[in-house]
């Protein structure tokens, strides 16, 4: 480690121009790739390898984009009022007409069982048409009477009976109806449109076309002349908020950078003294600030560019929300590294050394601590490569790359630039040596020096309080809620996020959710007669699953789902005279019964082939053949589980258990299910990841201190406060209601990444000062004045900068701001209060034993640990 640092110092001193040029060239080359980075949206990047995500991929391969019909929902609302009125009917009809007339209308899917556009007063509209009535003939009382008649089931309406079962669900949950009085009220109603796949070359182009059409439709809906609220919603419209997400992230980070610049200027400010020049002091302050920020930007650009190349090489999966924390980490570490290097350089120059000698001394002294911090944090972050969540694995790799880059730039580029600038000042005799000598006498270093009194006189009480708070933090850690929602990455004030909330509150989640079940044959378990009959039973069992929408008809209850069983029933529902002859012949061949089961031992492949031939467009989304073999079947089920999807998964698994028992695979999947998998994986991996990261960091520190001074226990002392920082931070997360999720899952890494360098700086500087001072108290005060002051400046700068994120309208970034402030602030507390107390007790222990003081590097002086 010393060899590497000394080599970097020598190269920088001998060839500063070459170092600067090489750094800029590498930044330009790798940074050019940074602009090509794309941030994954939704579940992409979060989903661990598993059957659910692979099932989605196979559905796309086997059934294409036709396998998923989307549901467009439009809420007609009079909050606190009533929409089962003439005004509500007029608005609902206008909404339906607007949808049909828009670009979306061309892709509306009408089926015999269900019109493509359906609203909560559709049966009222149908009754009006049957009776020759127009809107001008209607009164509120007539609308309510016709609505109640349809719901009650006693009316003579022309609408198919299965449509009636939708009516109550299309009204808000506050629906109040009195059958005897023929009256009903509801504060909101819904218009549904069932939309097929838009034309386009590939899924992305098709989706973008649909979103553009829906956005145009939303504008048209806003122009409807009504006093009622009209709120359209689809997941395509919801995703339009991603642009706001990207824009706000850029604004937040720009503001944070500006705040850091201002505070960093105050930390770097150099008082000119009696004979100094204010202009010279301001110029040096501005130069140091800009040099620090430029180096951080270079490190981030190189990291992003390298990350893009790693993504192309398949080393990482994608840039995602957790990877957005890496720049925060690099800014935090970059500010820390720069302040310590600059402070030490100023201290040595102020003592009378030449520019070259001072920079060499600064790099070789601070550089060892930075190298140790870099190695420790890099290895700790790389433990994430074993994390089952891809986004967290990618976070670990990118963090490791960024930290190494920041370390190399801080020990080469920054010293090279400063050497070039100060050599010139030194030749002219303009180097402000006197001002630099007084740099350690500023207010912040003096305040930090006063904190050494706790280590000197109250070390044990300090540690007891720290441990008690650590215990409270651990309890909070065990109580943390784990939560993941894509909508968290959209602005809170997004109209579509608000509409999603209305759907959840007033309509039990609405009708837009779809859960798919992929049924696949294998060589050992084909889809035969027994499997077909098990699928018929599973299809009927879906009607008993709580979160599956059910259609009630005179023939019984059926799940609201597209499936091969439903399609087969539709083709045969009108009897032999109207059924497709090929399907009828195949049905007779397999002994198909009224309940759609077949005779034992029958070959069902010709039956499914006949279904494909009779209805190729519909069958393409539910039946897949591989050559002549029946390969897979698909259920697309309308569900209302929302993000509490765990019970739905259990019930679906139970419904399809007879199918799986035959060896035929039946896997349920959806975005919500994959989100649930992410939550479960985060929950199961967080403790292991935390333990491994701290254990690896501790091992590196133990080995380093043992090799350098045979004081292996100092490694444990150095890492112990960091473990407390993690626990304290989790405790504050619980106390302030911040859940554990994809972004906050990186908190352990963030706390360790910031905390380890802080404690290493204190431990190593104390070793150095202990060699220079015979009295432990003097050594501790020197450590706290110089290194403690630099730590405080670094911590306050990054805390203030990233505290800006707390103002975000994006939940994850608001939480990120809070957690970052917690982690950095608590890391500072641990480094300047807890670790000094531990070092004081440790030093006293060795003094009582008669050992050489702990700063000694002579292994022969140490007899025990």
């Amino acid at each position: 480690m010393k060899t590497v640092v000394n080599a970097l110092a020598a190269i920088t001193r001998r060839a500063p121009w070459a170092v600067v040029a090489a750094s800029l060239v590498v930044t330009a080359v790798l940074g050019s790739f940074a602009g090509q980075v794309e941030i994954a949206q939704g579940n992409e990047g979060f989903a661990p390898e598993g059957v659910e995500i692979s099932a989605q991929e196979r559905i796309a391969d086997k059934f294409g984009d036709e396998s998923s019909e989307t549901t467009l929902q439009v809420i007609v609302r009079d909050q606190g009022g009533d929409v089962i009125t003439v005004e509500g009917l007029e608005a609902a009809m206008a909404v339906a007409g607007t949808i049909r007339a828009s670009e979306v209308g061309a892709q509306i899917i009408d089926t015999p069982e269900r019109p493509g556009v359906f609203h909560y007063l559709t049966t009222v509209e149908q009754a009006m048409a049957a009776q020759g009535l127009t809107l001008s003939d209607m009164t509120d009382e007539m609308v309510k009477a016709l609505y109640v008649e349809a719901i009650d089931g006693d009316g003579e309406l022309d609408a198919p009976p299965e449509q009636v079962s939708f009516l109550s669900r299309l009204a808000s949950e506050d629906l109040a109806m009195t059958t005897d009085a023929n009256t009903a009220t509801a504060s909101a109603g819904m218009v549904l449109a069932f939309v097929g796949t838009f034309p386009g070359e590939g899924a992305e182009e098709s989706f973008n076309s649909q979103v553009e059409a829906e956005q145009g439709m939303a504008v048209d809906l806003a122009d409807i002349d009504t006093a009622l609220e009209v709120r359209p919603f689809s997941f395509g419209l919801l995703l339009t908020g991603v642009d706001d997400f990207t824009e706000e992230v850029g604004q937040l980070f720009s503001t944070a950078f500006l705040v850091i610049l201002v505070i960093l200027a105050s930390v770097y400010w150099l008082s000119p003294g009696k004979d100094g020049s204010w202009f010279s002091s301001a110029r040096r302050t501005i130069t140091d600030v800009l040099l620090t920020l430029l180096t951080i930007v270079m490190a981030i650009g190189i990291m992003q560019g390298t990350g893009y190349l790693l993504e192309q090489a398949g080393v990482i999966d994608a840039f995602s929300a957790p990877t957005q924390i890496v720049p925060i980490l690099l800014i935090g570490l970059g500010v820390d590294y720069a302040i310590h290097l600059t402070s030490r350089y100023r201290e040595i120059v102020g003592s009378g050394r030449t520019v070259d000698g001072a920079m060499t001394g600064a790099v070789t002294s601070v550089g060892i601590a930075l190298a140790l911090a870099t190695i420790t944090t890099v290895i700790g972050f790389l433990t994430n490569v074993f994390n089952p969540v891809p986004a967290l694995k990618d976070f670990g790799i990118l963090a490791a790359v960024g930290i190494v880059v920041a370390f190399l730039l801080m020990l080469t580029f920054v010293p090279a630039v400063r050497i070039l600038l100060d050599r010139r000042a030194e030749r002219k005799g303009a180097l402000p040596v006197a001002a630099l000598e007084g740099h350690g006498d500023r207010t912040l270093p003096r305040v930090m020096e006063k904190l050494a009194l706790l280590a000197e006189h109250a070390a044990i009480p300090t540690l007891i309080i720290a441990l008690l708070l650590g215990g409270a933090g651990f309890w909070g850690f065990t109580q943390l809620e784990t939560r993941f929602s894509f909508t968290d990455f959209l602005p809170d004030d997004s109209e579509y996020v608000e509409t999603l909330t209305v759907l959840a509150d007033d309509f039990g989640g609405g009708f837009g959710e779809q859960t798919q079940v992929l049924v696949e044959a294998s060589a050992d378990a084909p889809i035969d007669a027994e499997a077909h009959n098990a699928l018929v039973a599973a299809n009927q069992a879906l009607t008993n699953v709580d979160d599956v929408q059910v259609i009630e008809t005179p023939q019984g209850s059926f799940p609201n789902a597209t499936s091969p069983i439903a399609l087969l029933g539709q083709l045969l529902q009108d009897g032999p005279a109207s059924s497709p002859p090929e399907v009828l012949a195949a049905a007779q061949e397999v002994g198909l019964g009224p309940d759609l089961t077949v005779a034992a031992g029958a070959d069902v492949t010709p039956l499914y082939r006949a279904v494909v031939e009779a209805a190729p467009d519909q069958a393409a989304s539910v039946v897949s053949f591989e050559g002549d073999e029946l390969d897979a079947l698909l259920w697309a089920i309308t569900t209302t589980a929302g993000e509490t999807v765990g019970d739905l998964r259990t019930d679906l698994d139970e419904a399809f258990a007879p199918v799986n028992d035959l060896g035929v695979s039946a896997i349920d999947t959806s975005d919500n299910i994959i989100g649930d998998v992410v939550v479960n994986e985060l929950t199961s991996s967080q403790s292991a990841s935390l333990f491994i990261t701290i254990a690896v960091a501790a091992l590196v520190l133990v080995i380093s201190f043992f090799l350098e001074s045979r004081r292996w226990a100092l490694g444990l002392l150095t890492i112990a406060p960091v473990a407390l920082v993690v626990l304290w931070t989790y405790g504050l997360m619980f106390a302030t209601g911040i859940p554990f999720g994809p972004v906050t899952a990186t908190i352990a890494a963030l706390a360790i990444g910031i905390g380890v360098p802080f404690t290493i700086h204190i431990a190593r500087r104390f070793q150095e000062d202990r060699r220079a001072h015979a009295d432990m108290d003097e050594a501790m005060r020197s450590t706290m004045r110089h290194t403690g002051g630099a730590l405080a400046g670094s911590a306050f700068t990054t805390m203030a900068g990233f505290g800006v994120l707390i103002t975000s309208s994006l939940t994850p970034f608001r939480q990120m701001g809070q957690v970052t402030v917690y982690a950095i602030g608590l890391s500072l507390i641990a480094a300047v209060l807890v670790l000094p107390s531990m070092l004081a007790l440790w030093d006293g222990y060795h003094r009582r034993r008669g050992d050489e003081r702990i700063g000694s590097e002579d292994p022969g002086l140490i007899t025990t640990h």
Side-chain angles (χ1 to χ4, degrees):
M1 193 182 303
K2 282 186 177 180
T3 303
V4 173
V5 172
N6 289 337
L8 292 175
I11 293 171
T12 302
R13 183 181 68 251
R14 293 171 184 168
W17 279 111
V19 170
V20 171
S23 300
L24 293 176
V25 168
V26 171
T27 302
V29 173
L30 291 177
S32 65
F33 295 106
Q36 301 180 51
V37 169
E38 294 183 1
I39 307 302
Q41 305 297 343
N43 286 328
E44 184 182 353
F46 291 109
E49 294 297 328
V51 295
E52 295 84 6
I53 186 65
S54 61
Q56 277 199 340
E57 293 168 353
R58 292 198 303 280
I59 288 171
D61 291 339
K62 295 176 185 294
F63 301 95
D65 299 321
E66 300 292 337
S67 62
S68 181
E69 171 187 87
T70 59
T71 304
L72 175 67
Q73 304 168 86
V74 182
I75 297 173
V76 176
R77 189 178 185 219
D78 183 11
Q79 191 170 11
D82 184 19
V83 295
I84 305 180
T85 61
V86 173
E87 184 180 29
L89 175 61
E90 184 177 12
M93 292 171 64
V95 167
T98 300
I99 294 173
R100 289 278 190 186
S102 71
E103 290 183 33
V104 175
Q107 307 303 323
I108 295 295
I109 299 176
D110 290 289
T111 67
E113 299 76 33
R114 178 211 65 201
V117 180
F118 192 90
H119 61 80
Y120 70 106
L121 295 176
T122 288
T123 51
V124 174
E125 183 181 357
Q126 292 169 341
M128 287 169 52
Q131 299 174 26
L133 298 174
T134 64
L135 274 172
S136 60
D137 298 322
M138 299 297 291
T139 64
D140 289 349
E141 290 73 19
M142 293 171 65
V143 172
K144 295 177 185 297
L146 290 175
Y147 181 81
V148 171
E149 184 179 3
I151 289 289
D152 193 39
D154 294 333
E156 297 179 358
L157 301 178
D158 294 330
E162 57 267 23
Q163 291 184 12
V164 176
S165 67
F166 276 108
L167 286 175
S168 60
R169 291 198 298 272
L170 289 176
S172 55
E173 293 183 345
D174 62 358
L175 171 66
M177 187 173 65
T178 305
T179 305
D180 294 340
N182 276 345
T183 185
T185 60
S187 62
M190 189 183 296
V191 182
L192 298 182
F194 303 96
V195 185
T197 304
F198 274 64
E201 295 182 5
E204 183 175 356
E205 183 177 333
S206 173
F207 177 75
N208 289 338
S209 297
Q210 179 171 346
V211 172
E212 289 178 8
E214 289 178 350
Q215 286 180 300
M217 178 210 66
V219 173
D220 294 339
L221 290 175
D223 292 336
I224 293 176
D225 184 15
T226 178
L228 302 177
E229 287 183 68
V230 177
R231 288 179 168 269
F233 179 84
S234 72
F235 286 100
L237 290 173
L238 182 64
L239 285 171
T240 59
V242 170
D243 294 335
D244 297 331
F245 162 80
T246 305
E247 181 180 348
E248 180 168 340
V249 169
Q251 293 174 349
L252 286 169
F253 277 84
S254 298
T255 304
F257 218 71
L258 179 62
V259 171
I260 287 174
L261 187 150
V262 172
I263 299 180
L264 197 58
S266 69
V267 173
Y268 277 148
W269 173 251
L270 188 67
S271 177
K274 295 181 180 178
D275 303 322
S277 163
W278 284 95
F279 175 76
S280 176
S281 294
R283 183 177 59 188
R284 173 170 286 273
T285 298
I286 293 172
T287 302
D288 284 338
V289 169
L290 295 180
L291 180 58
T292 297
L293 295 181
L294 173 62
T295 307
I296 292 171
V297 171
M298 290 169 64
I300 293 173
I302 293 174
M303 179 276 296
Q304 294 277 78
T306 304
Y308 173 78
L309 296 178
L310 292 176
E311 183 181 9
Q312 299 305 305
V315 177
I316 67 174
D317 290 336
F319 283 78
S320 56
T323 64
Q324 301 307 292
I325 297 180
V326 177
I328 291 181
L329 183 64
L330 295 186
I331 292 174
L333 287 176
V335 168
D336 176 68
Y337 287 7
I339 287 178
H340 280 89
L341 181 65
T342 302
S343 296
R344 179 57 67 94
Y345 171 68
R346 288 180 173 186
E347 179 186 345
I348 298 175
V349 169
S351 68
R353 297 274 294 275
T354 64
V355 168
D356 285 5
M359 187 57 75
T360 299
V363 171
T364 53
S365 57
V366 173
I368 297 296
L370 297 184
L372 184 57
T374 298
I375 292 172
T376 304
T377 50
V378 163
I379 294 178
F381 284 135
L382 286 179
T383 60
N384 278 301
V385 299
F386 303 107
N387 197 295
V389 179
L392 298 186
K393 179 198 74 174
D394 298 341
F395 166 80
I397 294 173
L398 289 175
V401 170
I403 291 169
V404 171
V405 170
F407 166 75
L408 292 175
L409 288 176
M410 286 297 171
L411 288 195
T412 55
F413 179 73
V414 171
V417 173
R418 180 43 68 192
I419 284 175
L420 291 172
L421 293 174
D422 283 356
R423 278 178 179 174
R424 181 183 177 188
E426 189 176 41
R427 286 195 301 269
K428 294 181 176 180
L431 198 65
V433 176
L436 292 171
E437 184 180 8
H439 180 68
D441 295 328
R442 302 179 63 205
T443 301
L444 195 56
R446 290 201 305 270
V447 171
M448 289 296 106
E449 182 180 4
K450 296 295 184 183
L451 294 180
L453 294 173
L454 287 175
E456 296 169 18
H457 304 295
I460 292 178
T462 298
L463 294 179
I464 290 175
I465 293 173
L467 290 172
L468 290 175
L469 292 175
F474 178 78
W475 179 83
F477 170 68
T478 62
Q479 303 300 309
L480 277 179
E481 176 191 3
T482 303
R483 190 167 69 234
F484 170 73
S485 173
F486 167 65
T487 58
D488 286 343
F489 294 92
L490 298 173
D492 291 341
D493 58 357
S494 164
E495 60 179 309
Y496 299 116
V497 172
E498 293 173 358
T499 302
L500 184 60
T501 302
V502 173
L503 285 170
D505 293 343
D506 293 354
F507 295 91
F511 291 76
E513 178 182 300
Q514 186 179 83
T515 302
Q516 296 173 309
V517 178
L518 176 63
V519 178
E520 292 179 290
S522 65
D524 298 328
I527 299 176
D528 54 16
E530 190 175 4
H532 170 88
N533 291 340
L535 288 169
V536 172
N539 189 70
Q540 190 58 38
L542 292 176
T543 60
N544 297 319
V545 174
D546 287 342
D547 290 311
V548 170
Q549 288 190 354
V550 177
I551 299 174
E552 303 291 345
T553 74
Q555 290 76 36
S557 301
F558 297 95
N560 184 12
T562 58
S563 71
I565 302 301
L567 180 56
L568 177 61
Q570 291 166 17
L571 293 174
L572 297 173
Q573 69 181 352
D574 293 329
S578 302
S579 299
E582 62 267 43
V583 177
L584 189 60
Q588 292 171 346
E589 183 69 24
V590 297
L592 190 73
D595 60 356
L596 301 183
T597 58
V598 300
D603 182 6
V604 297
T605 300
L607 176 64
Y608 284 97
R609 177 69 71 184
V611 169
V612 172
E613 293 173 358
D617 292 339
Q618 292 170 278
S621 64
V622 293
V623 180
S624 172
F625 275 87
E626 187 71 32
D628 293 330
E629 298 296 325
L630 181 56
D631 178 47
L633 305 173
L634 183 66
W635 266 250
I637 310 164
T638 301
T639 54
T640 57
E643 292 172 4
T644 57
V645 76
D647 291 341
L648 175 63
R649 292 180 65 193
T650 301
D651 292 341
L652 290 177
D653 289 341
E654 184 177 342
F656 282 87
V659 180
N660 283 306
D661 290 343
L662 295 174
V664 177
S665 171
I667 302 170
D668 46 83
T669 185
S670 70
D671 286 345
N672 284 340
I673 286 177
I674 292 173
D676 188 58
V677 171
V678 171
V679 168
N680 291 336
E681 291 288 357
L682 286 173
T683 303
S684 62
S685 66
Q686 60 181 317
S687 300
S689 176
L690 172 62
F691 174 78
I692 292 172
T693 303
I694 292 179
V696 170
L699 180 62
V700 172
L701 291 175
V702 165
I703 292 173
S704 174
F705 279 106
F706 176 76
L707 293 177
E708 184 176 343
S709 61
R710 295 299 187 270
R711 298 279 184 177
W712 60 266
L714 281 177
L716 296 179
L717 291 181
T718 304
I719 198 65
V722 180
L724 287 175
V725 169
V726 175
L727 295 177
W728 293 343
T729 306
Y730 279 131
L732 276 179
M733 285 174 60
F734 172 73
T736 53
I738 299 176
F740 192 85
V743 173
T744 53
T746 57
I747 176 54
L750 183 63
I752 293 171
I754 298 294
V756 168
F758 277 22
T759 56
I760 286 176
H761 285 310
I762 291 291
R764 290 196 57 82
R765 180 63 189 242
F766 180 70
Q767 278 190 298
E768 180 182 332
D769 286 335
R770 195 67 182 91
R771 287 193 294 270
H773 299 279
D775 182 66
M776 191 281 295
D777 292 348
E778 290 182 12
M780 186 64 73
R781 294 188 194 113
S782 175
T783 296
M784 295 296 290
R785 181 173 64 254
H786 293 102
T787 299
L791 283 180
S794 170
F796 293 150
T797 301
T798 48
M799 285 170 66
F802 291 105
V804 171
L805 298 180
I806 298 175
T807 65
S808 174
S809 66
L810 306 170
T811 300
F813 283 87
R814 190 164 57 246
Q815 294 172 348
M816 183 197 303
Q818 290 178 262
V819 171
T820 301
V821 170
Y822 295 164
I824 296 174
L826 294 174
S827 293
L828 176 64
I829 291 172
V832 301
L833 296 181
V834 178
L835 182 57
S837 297
M838 297 174 72
L839 291 173
L841 293 176
W842 184 249
D843 184 83
Y845 167 75
H846 278 280
R847 278 187 295 164
R848 289 192 298 272
R849 290 176 54 87
D851 295 336
E852 191 70 17
R853 54 185 182 268
I854 67 174
S856 174
E857 294 188 12
D858 184 355
L861 295 175
I862 307 302
T863 59
T864 181
H865 292 276

